[in-house]
Amino acid sequence: ARCWLWSPDTRKVEFTVGSDDACRIWVGDEVVFHDADWHSARKDRMFGSCTLQKGWNPVLFKILNGNSKMGLYFRVMDEEIDSSPTEPRSN
């Protein structure tokens, strides 16, 4: 999965993630989260942090699908950060 996060300035943000099963997250070219365990997706299962640059930041999620279902929850704990599920366009 992929999304973009817009930040008004360079800042460190906290996030929560819940995936079924293992998950790795990149912001730009940097791996910011890695979980190799097998478990069901649940909101706010784990916490992480990353630094966002000013402007749009691409976020890439890779999920290992073990047995049966797959799921992903992701939430940034900063109300000033906007998100887009599709690649933002420059105006």
Side-chain angles (χ1 to χ4, degrees):
R2 178 173 284 207
C3 72
W4 283 259
L5 300 176
W6 183 86
S7 179
D9 52 25
T10 298
R11 65 173 70 188
K12 184 174 181 177
V13 295
E14 306 293 320
F15 61 83
T16 67
V17 63
S19 64
D20 181 352
D21 290 296
C23 176
R24 191 174 287 171
I25 302 172
W26 287 260
V27 173
D29 294 330
E30 180 183 0
V31 175
V32 298
F33 183 82
H34 176 76
D35 169 35
D37 292 335
W38 289 42
H39 43 65
S40 61
R42 188 177 73 215
K43 291 180 186 177
D44 304 334
R45 177 183 285 278
M46 295 183 187
F47 293 82
S49 65
C50 66
T51 299
L52 298 177
Q53 303 303 313
K54 181 178 181 177
W56 287 105
N57 294 263
V59 182
L60 176 66
F61 304 86
K62 290 194 177 182
I63 309 297
L64 170 68
N65 188 22
N67 298 324
S68 68
K69 298 180 181 180
M70 186 179 93
L72 172 67
Y73 295 97
F74 179 73
R75 179 167 57 129
V76 177
M77 310 295 284
D78 186 323
E79 292 180 2
E80 292 187 60
I81 303 301
D82 290 328
S83 65
S84 175
T86 60
E87 187 169 5
R89 294 185 213 159
S90 298
N91 291 335

